[in-house]
Amino acid sequence: MRRLKTMVAGAVAVALLSGCGAGAAAPAASEAATGPAAVAPSGPPSGETLIVYTNSNGEGRGEWLTAKAAEAGFKIEIVGAGGADATNKLIAEKNNPIADVAFGLNNMYFEQVKAAGAIAPFTPAWSAEVDAAKGDPSESKAYWPLVQQAILLGYNTEKFSADEAPKDWTDLWTQDKFKSRYERVTGLGTATAQLVFASILTRYKDETGDLGVSDEGWKQVEAYFKNGTPAVAKTDLFARIAAGDTDMGQMPSSIILEREKSFSVDVATVMPSVGVPLAIEQVALVKGTDKQDEALKFIDWFGSAKTQGEWSQQFNSMPVNKAAVATAKPEVVEFFNTLKQQDIDWTFVQENMGAWVEKIELEYMS
């Protein structure tokens, strides 16, 4: 199958920066996670059962991780949920935590969890192998980076050539040939969906506008929902593309190669001139866990170059661990080396995302 392909507006080859965006403001750093940074004690795993919350258990990730962890001596139970739902669950349980470890949430989500005091500072054994700036921006580092994901608009190459395809998200509802040919979301509980709207709405930042967004920005959101075909519950976007029901839609970069094979379709991705948002999946120690030592040992194992290298091979992901990049798939590394990252004010996004979601669901999604 074809490797990931991107329409690049001009020649771009930028270094991957932090999840806060190239030159963008970092998420507002919270000091809720205080105290000395914990480190894993020496010795083998105890075999205690760890509860692991994640929004990154799909595509067989949860099953793979459970099996691999068992081989390493860890017993884990994965609890999967969308990014927003997992965030809310961690915050709601902060005074009586159920989880021991959380991973997969991006900077924006973990900043909310940290501000609520639900995660604790720690230093993983592999801290020197990652760019710490891609994780918690504060001195009390309560989450560390694992995997980089690009949030993309992909399209069926059998229906559109590179010249005919959209050049940006806004083309979908402003050009007649794309109307009703793209899948639009029916919920905003996932990190991917929220990042797509962050990418769009930040372009229309207006201090005098509703929730910091100009009237024109909200018109774009209205047009997105008006002209798209709604996603179908429990039906994969790639299955709909293969069936001819739709031609394009949102997708995280790591799923594309495998989905192309599974559904026998060929997808290319759009690179807007402003770039694309990057989600950097993080890992954190839940504050108040009574299995802290085992949780820290698990995090040391999971974020290690060996495990992240195997994870990247299995799931076509781009590891943050520099020592793991050598074992990542070459086509994935090449793709990320040519990405242009969108400059997004993540502080602005974090401050407004909850209200944006509420407005979108009440006024535009129905």
Side-chain angles (χ1 to χ4, degrees):
M1 305 300 292
R2 293 173 59 181
R3 66 180 60 176
L4 297 177
K5 299 163 289 287
T6 308
M7 293 193 314
V8 182
V12 294
V14 297
L16 289 174
L17 303 177
S18 76
C20 304
S30 163
E31 294 304 323
T34 58
V39 296
S42 59
S46 68
E48 297 174 284
T49 300
L50 296 173
I51 306 300
V52 180
Y53 283 6
T54 184
N55 63 333
S56 187
N57 61 307
E59 320 299 322
R61 289 175 174 83
E63 294 82 359
W64 184 92
L65 183 57
T66 301
K68 285 291 183 179
E71 292 176 8
F74 296 99
K75 184 176 181 180
I76 65 172
E77 291 184 9
I78 298 286
V79 178
D85 294 334
T87 297
N88 292 336
K89 192 169 177 64
L90 286 164
I91 293 172
E93 297 169 356
K94 68 176 183 177
N95 294 322
N96 188 23
I98 296 173
D100 305 295
V101 175
F103 82 91
L105 302 177
N106 61 33
N107 304 56
M108 181 178 70
Y109 286 135
F110 265 131
E111 273 300 316
Q112 296 173 39
V113 178
K114 180 182 176 182
I119 52 178
F122 71 101
T123 303
W126 39 265
S127 61
E129 298 173 356
V130 300
D131 180 356
K134 292 183 178 180
D136 186 342
S138 73
E139 292 184 4
S140 58
K141 296 192 178 300
Y143 56 88
W144 290 80
L146 292 173
V147 173
Q148 300 171 111
Q149 290 263 29
I151 307 304
L152 305 165
L153 169 59
Y155 63 91
N156 185 353
T157 59
E158 290 189 1
K159 296 297 181 68
F160 297 100
S161 67
D163 290 338
E164 298 169 333
K167 304 300 185 292
D168 198 343
W169 280 95
T170 52
D171 290 346
L172 300 183
W173 50 87
T174 57
Q175 296 187 29
D176 289 342
K177 64 180 177 180
F178 302 128
K179 291 180 179 179
S180 299
R181 298 311 308 164
Y182 66 92
E183 182 180 89
R184 57 93 163 168
V185 299
T186 55
L188 291 176
T190 67
T192 301
Q194 290 192 9
L195 285 171
V196 169
F197 284 97
S199 169
I200 295 168
L201 288 174
T202 52
R203 308 183 199 186
Y204 299 93
K205 185 176 181 180
D206 182 350
E207 293 182 358
T208 65
D210 188 10
L211 303 178
V213 176
S214 68
D215 289 344
E216 181 59 30
W218 291 117
K219 288 179 182 178
Q220 299 297 320
V221 173
E222 181 179 21
Y224 165 88
F225 284 100
K226 181 179 179 181
N227 292 288
T229 176
V232 178
K234 298 182 180 180
T235 302
D236 193 278
L237 168 61
F238 280 73
R240 299 190 70 208
I241 290 175
D245 296 334
T246 191
D247 299 324
M248 59 196 77
Q250 68 177 37
M251 53 190 68
S253 55
S254 66
I255 74 168
I256 298 176
L257 290 173
E258 186 57 38
R259 287 292 207 285
E260 285 184 319
K261 294 178 183 177
S262 298
F263 294 98
S264 299
V265 296
D266 189 69
V267 168
T269 54
V270 175
M271 179 63 72
S273 60
V274 297
V276 298
L278 283 188
I280 299 187
E281 300 178 6
Q282 314 279 340
V283 64
L285 171 70
V286 175
K287 186 176 181 179
T289 170
D290 58 3
K291 301 171 186 173
Q292 177 171 302
D293 288 351
E294 187 74 350
L296 289 167
K297 290 178 183 179
F298 171 76
I299 291 172
D300 280 358
W301 168 81
F302 184 36
S304 68
K306 182 178 184 298
T307 306
Q308 285 299 299
E310 293 173 351
W311 178 278
S312 66
Q313 276 286 332
Q314 185 72 22
F315 300 111
N316 303 308
S317 63
M318 182 65 181
V320 176
N321 190 312
K322 299 167 188 175
V325 172
T327 54
K329 290 186 175 179
E331 57 267 40
V332 174
V333 176
E334 179 184 354
F335 177 71
F336 271 82
N337 284 340
T338 61
L339 277 182
K340 178 179 180 180
Q341 185 176 2
Q342 185 177 359
D343 183 355
I344 293 176
D345 182 346
W346 288 109
T347 299
F348 172 62
V349 171
Q350 180 183 320
E351 290 171 348
N352 291 282
M353 181 56 74
W356 288 349
V357 169
E358 183 177 8
K359 179 179 174 69
I360 290 170
E361 290 180 340
L362 289 176
E363 298 183 21
Y364 303 117
M365 192 176 294
S366 59

